[in-house]
Amino acid sequence: MTSENRCGHCLCGAVSFTARIDDPGIQACHCRQCQRWTGGGPLMSLRVRALKLHGDAAIAYHRASEWGERAFCKTCGSTLFWRMQERPIAYMAVGLFDDQSGLHMAQEVFSDCRAAWMHPYDGAEQSTEAQEFAKLDAYLMDQAP
Ligand SMILES: [Zn+2]
Ligand SMILES: [Zn+2]
């Protein structure tokens, strides 16, 4: 799949979007925050760029950490996306997309936090909580003024 724009919307339709997808690989995040946020987890998402949101008034943001924020629809409660605060890159919940063709499971992060009743995905790259925090530290250092 080459880079392409796809659109999607929340359950009630108050929020819709178009976004560019450069990579068709789905990421599963097993962290405890995502488990609670999605009601079971993991958060299944696609990394998107050039996110254009419609229905801003219906979007609420929750900052569960110092660096991230989680967007959801105020009306229907749909999980929308996770992003670094004030950053253009977001991880959009894959179930919102109208067209999920051509996608595949690529990566499981916070893999050591995976619920005991859930199996890993065959062939998906695995990254633990410690590995993810090391990457985050490197990223935040890089972004420091
Ligand atoms: Zn909604
Ligand atoms: Zn997570």
Side-chain angles (χ1 to χ4, degrees):
M1 188 182 97
T2 51
S3 179
E4 60 177 74
N5 288 313
R6 289 200 190 189
C7 40
H9 60 84
C10 68
L11 187 57
C12 75
V15 180
S16 60
F17 65 89
T18 57
R20 203 178 82 225
I21 303 169
D22 294 333
D23 178 351
I26 294 166
Q27 183 194 77
C29 182
H30 293 283
C31 81
R32 293 294 286 133
Q33 290 187 358
C34 284
Q35 289 179 23
R36 291 202 162 88
W37 188 41
T38 60
L43 172 63
M44 299 290 200
S45 66
L46 277 180
R47 183 171 167 149
V48 299
R49 292 172 191 274
L51 177 59
K52 288 192 188 67
L53 288 166
H54 311 282
D56 273 339
I59 302 175
Y61 293 89
H62 176 65
R63 292 189 167 184
S65 66
E66 292 291 303
W67 56 85
E69 61 187 358
R70 296 167 182 273
F72 60 97
C73 174
K74 285 182 206 171
T75 304
C76 68
S78 294
T79 295
L80 299 174
F81 59 88
W82 184 97
R83 71 177 176 196
M84 297 290 285
Q85 292 172 16
E86 322 299 339
R87 302 286 168 203
I89 295 168
Y91 290 84
M92 189 61 98
V94 70
L96 303 172
F97 285 89
D98 297 333
D99 175 11
Q100 295 186 41
S101 62
L103 309 178
H104 66 273
M105 257 310 293
Q107 187 187 35
E108 292 183 76
V109 299
F110 289 78
S111 54
D112 50 338
C113 305
R114 181 192 302 107
W117 46 263
M118 185 173 283
H119 297 293
Y121 283 83
D122 269 352
E125 182 193 317
Q126 305 286 315
S127 176
T128 64
E129 179 173 19
Q131 288 171 314
E132 286 304 302
F133 277 116
K135 275 190 253 176
L136 178 69
D137 281 347
Y139 175 83
L140 293 175
M141 292 283 272
D142 203 43
Q143 302 288 317

